[in-house]
Amino acid sequence: MSATSPPNFIEMYRQLIAAPSVSCLEPQWDISNRQVIELLGLWLTTLGFKVEIQELERQAGKYNLLATMNPIDGPCEGGLLLSGHTDTVPWDEGRWSRDPFTLTEANNRLYGLGSADMKGFFAFVIEAIRDLDFRRLKKPLMILATADEETSMAGARELRRFPNLRPDYAVIGEPTLMVPVRMHKGHTTDCIRVTGRSGHSSNPAAGVNAISIMHDAIGYLKKLEQDMRDRFHEPAFEVPYPTLNFGHIHGGDAANRICACCELHMDMRPLPGMHVDTLNEMLSACLAPLQERHPGALEIIAMHDPIPGYETKADAALVRMAEAISGHPAEPANYCTEAPFIHDLGCETIVMGPGSIQQAHQPDEYISLSQIRPGQEKIRALIEKACCS
């Protein structure tokens, strides 16, 4: 390897996978992404990019990176931003059949945690630009690496700290099999907590049973679920209405004791264009009768800052460009990405990257070898079209 160039594609992949960068709300799992950021900073600096690294204000030990290559003679604003997150979800050692931090080639696949979602995307980008003559740039080329996408999206919420981040176009390299995604739903997570009063089960009137109140709360929430389904509709989505999911419930400690506390964790996924405040107002109104019946017993607690839905118009220049390069029409997605925060920078934004979303958050995560060359070529084509034409 030359001292002035990054390692080859597979070696970059290997080093990225070998650098743990787990994001998790449970402290025992959470790991800094600094090692990944330092690798990317080194490789992009050797290619001549100006590299800025910022520690997050809201998450000590987590970092964002912005690498910029400006044209020799031309504007220092606009151009193309290629963006990805540097963190992964935790792994279940009992379900992986190989070391998640060792890149393993087998069955015409590359296995490893982050191989598809989505540290490997940075190896694709660097390989695509390795031999690019940067003197041909007419507009800036930028590479963004963020922290904590898998939990709070803290990194994406601090992008305005980069004062010169004003691209015309942004491509987020989440795994879409290189099919452009131009819209997706948002995401909120709430804890419904009911606090009752314990007592001996032989006299139910001597206490206040939190499980019984939660039973009523779920009935109201099921009505909210149907209300959202009736009121809001976007036919482009496979599931064309906002969804509500009961993901976790826990209450009580013994069969012969009146339950004093019960918690339900639930998520809601609003359509693009739905204001998150509207969703919160609907949730509060839904549970208001129960709160009046049991004053002080029921709380609604947001478990993370909400993530709005996002949409780039079907006839946007970036959408047409990506459709032509990929050979596929743009699609919606039901999952959530950093797109709304990047879109808020004022740029046309799509999600489009190598690998399959079906591998995300799965044991033995992998990317197929057959996707490597086409992925590199399509990323290179996007750069050529957006920055060199």
Side-chain angles (χ1 to χ4, degrees), residues 63-289:
Y63 300 85
N64 284 344
L65 174 150
L66 178 64
T68 305
M69 180 70 72
N70 286 319
I72 296 174
D73 295 309
C76 293
E77 292 187 358
L80 175 65
L81 175 71
L82 297 172
S83 179
H85 62 83
T86 57
D87 58 320
T88 71
V89 294
W91 74 100
D92 184 341
E93 290 182 287
R95 297 177 64 199
W96 277 75
S97 65
R98 44 182 54 84
D99 181 359
F101 298 105
T102 298
L103 185 69
T104 304
E105 183 176 341
N107 309 315
N108 294 314
R109 300 166 175 171
L110 294 177
Y111 290 91
L113 182 62
S115 56
D117 184 23
M118 62 168 289
K119 289 192 288 187
F121 173 67
F122 296 107
F124 275 84
V125 170
I126 293 173
E127 191 67 20
I129 64 176
R130 181 192 299 275
D131 298 321
L132 183 66
D133 183 353
F134 294 118
R135 293 171 298 181
R136 296 177 51 237
L137 290 179
K138 296 180 180 179
K139 289 189 176 181
L141 172 61
M142 292 159 283
I143 299 166
L144 175 68
T146 62
D148 271 29
E149 188 269 354
E150 297 288 7
T151 51
S152 65
M153 299 208 176
R157 297 177 193 273
E158 297 191 17
L159 296 183
R160 292 191 182 276
R161 292 178 59 204
F162 292 113
N164 299 314
L165 185 52
R166 300 185 185 91
D168 294 320
Y169 308 127
V171 176
I172 302 170
E174 294 275 6
T176 70
L177 295 172
M178 295 305 293
V179 174
V181 167
R182 68 172 187 87
M183 58 163 44
H184 66 60
K185 295 180 180 180
H187 187 223
T188 68
T189 305
D190 292 288
C191 167
I192 311 300
R193 179 180 297 159
V194 177
T195 303
R197 187 174 67 252
S198 63
H200 198 284
S201 64
S202 62
N203 184 6
V208 177
N209 195 307
I211 291 177
S212 294
I213 298 174
M214 185 64 78
H215 174 270
D216 294 340
I218 290 174
Y220 283 107
L221 291 168
K222 292 298 291 182
K223 292 178 182 178
L224 172 62
E225 182 179 35
Q226 187 61 50
D227 186 31
M228 291 194 301
R229 185 169 182 163
D230 293 340
R231 289 178 55 185
F232 304 100
H233 192 76
E234 173 48 71
F237 286 95
E238 180 182 358
V239 181
Y241 44 81
T243 58
L244 184 156
N245 179 66
F246 304 139
H248 168 82
I249 192 167
H250 176 79
D253 50 23
N256 62 351
R257 179 176 165 89
I258 296 170
C259 174
C261 185
C262 185
E263 284 192 358
L264 168 67
H265 297 176
M266 51 173 274
D267 82 356
M268 296 188 290
R269 296 184 180 264
L271 296 170
M274 284 184 67
H275 201 286
V276 172
D277 287 347
T278 302
L279 213 58
N280 291 335
E281 290 166 3
M282 293 176 68
L283 177 59
S284 295
C286 159
L287 295 174

Side-chain angles (χ1 to χ4, degrees), residues 33-67:
N33 68 331
R34 182 170 182 169
Q35 191 176 351
V36 177
I37 290 291
E38 289 178 343
L39 284 171
L40 297 176
L42 172 63
W43 297 339
L44 291 164
T45 297
T46 64
L47 289 173
F49 281 76
K50 175 188 174 184
V51 173
E52 302 173 71
I53 295 174
Q54 294 182 352
E55 185 173 15
L56 301 191
E57 292 178 342
R58 62 176 68 198
Q59 286 274 28
K62 301 296 181 80
Y63 300 85
N64 284 344
L65 174 150
L66 178 64

